[in-house]
Amino acid sequence: MSETGTAVPAPRSGGPTVDPDPAGAAWADYVAAARQLDGVRRAAATAASEQARSVAAAREELTAVRERLAPQQSRLRELGVPAISLLPTPPEVSEAARSMAAGPAAVLAALRTARGWADAADDSLAARGLPRLARWPAYPRNLLVYGPLALLVPLVQLAIFLVTGTGAVTLLALVVGLPLPAVAFMLGWLAVGRLFRPRPTDRVDRTPRFGALVCLVPAVLATAGLLLAMLAG
């Protein structure tokens, strides 16, 4: 009963009478905040690691591009290009700065693009005088070098035979001509690497077995034919 005489209902037995635990709620909030902080920390660490890798790659790319541009600049000056033409203009510098303002990743992308332009410039410089032959398949391209060198000695031996006949001079020409296919092969090997190299750092397929065969076959056929002609005479 209340003081006014009104009956106050008693609480039901078995109902929820326990208040929420403040310590448990605080712990749950702490765990949620710690998880969120750990996620932010991991994301920041990943971003920093990616940025560090981009910076390192950009430095390596910058060194490679500089090494490519230095000989190109010297080569262009030798070809008569004015030095002022080899320097970027202020608008080009401003445009490059804007393209790399997004950070190390943008700088790396710009440097890779510059390396592609440097590769194209190397191809253009290397193609001077031989614009198409350097891009031919290796065997027909190298045949243009090995072939004439391989035919030189047999033609000289044949000319000597036609002039002197079956004499000591022809025999001497045959003996002297025995090691000359090896000389022709070495000259051809050097010439292929000199003429058909796309860029100074590239390696050329010199097809050594094919070249040796090309240099050897005409010499063997010519020697055999001349010997048969001398024996028949």
Side-chain angles (χ1 to χ4, degrees):
M1 296 290 291
S2 65
E3 295 179 354
T4 58
T6 305
V8 178
R12 298 180 180 178
S13 60
T17 58
V18 180
D19 295 333
D21 185 7
W27 174 254
D29 294 340
Y30 169 78
V31 171
R35 289 176 178 174
Q36 184 177 6
L37 179 62
D38 183 67
V40 173
R41 182 186 62 79
R42 290 176 182 271
T46 301
S49 177
E50 292 178 354
Q51 185 175 10
R53 286 195 296 267
S54 298
V55 170
R59 288 175 178 173
E60 293 178 359
E61 197 73 24
L62 178 60
T63 302
V65 172
R66 283 176 174 173
E67 291 176 353
R68 298 290 297 280
L69 293 181
Q72 285 183 4
Q73 188 178 34
S74 301
R75 179 77 182 278
L76 290 172
R77 287 181 176 177
E78 292 174 358
L79 295 175
V81 178
I84 190 64
S85 300
L86 301 177
L87 298 177
T89 61
E92 291 173 342
V93 174
S94 299
E95 181 63 26
R98 283 196 299 269
S99 66
M100 294 184 290
V107 174
L108 179 59
L111 289 172
R112 286 175 176 171
T113 302
R115 186 177 63 173
W117 292 340
D119 291 342
D122 276 342
D123 292 338
S124 299
L125 290 174
R128 289 178 59 87
L130 296 172
R132 296 183 179 179
L133 296 182
R135 294 174 175 81
W136 278 22
Y139 287 98
R141 178 197 66 197
N142 295 347
L143 183 62
L144 296 177
V145 177
Y146 289 121
L149 293 173
L151 294 175
L152 182 60
V153 174
L155 290 177
V156 172
Q157 292 174 336
L158 180 60
I160 293 174
F161 174 75
L162 294 177
V163 172
T164 63
T166 58
V169 177
T170 302
L171 184 61
L172 179 62
L174 290 177
V175 174
V176 173
L178 291 178
L180 291 184
V183 177
F185 168 72
M186 290 303 301
L187 292 176
W189 190 86
L190 293 174
V192 167
R194 182 71 176 176
L195 296 175
F196 302 133
R197 179 172 296 177
R199 289 186 294 270
T201 57
D202 290 346
R203 298 183 61 183
V204 180
D205 185 5
R206 291 180 168 90
T207 59
R209 294 181 180 178
F210 174 74
L213 184 64
V214 170
C215 293
L216 183 62
V217 169
V220 172
L221 293 178
T223 301
L226 291 176
L227 286 176
L228 290 175
M230 292 175 66
L231 292 176

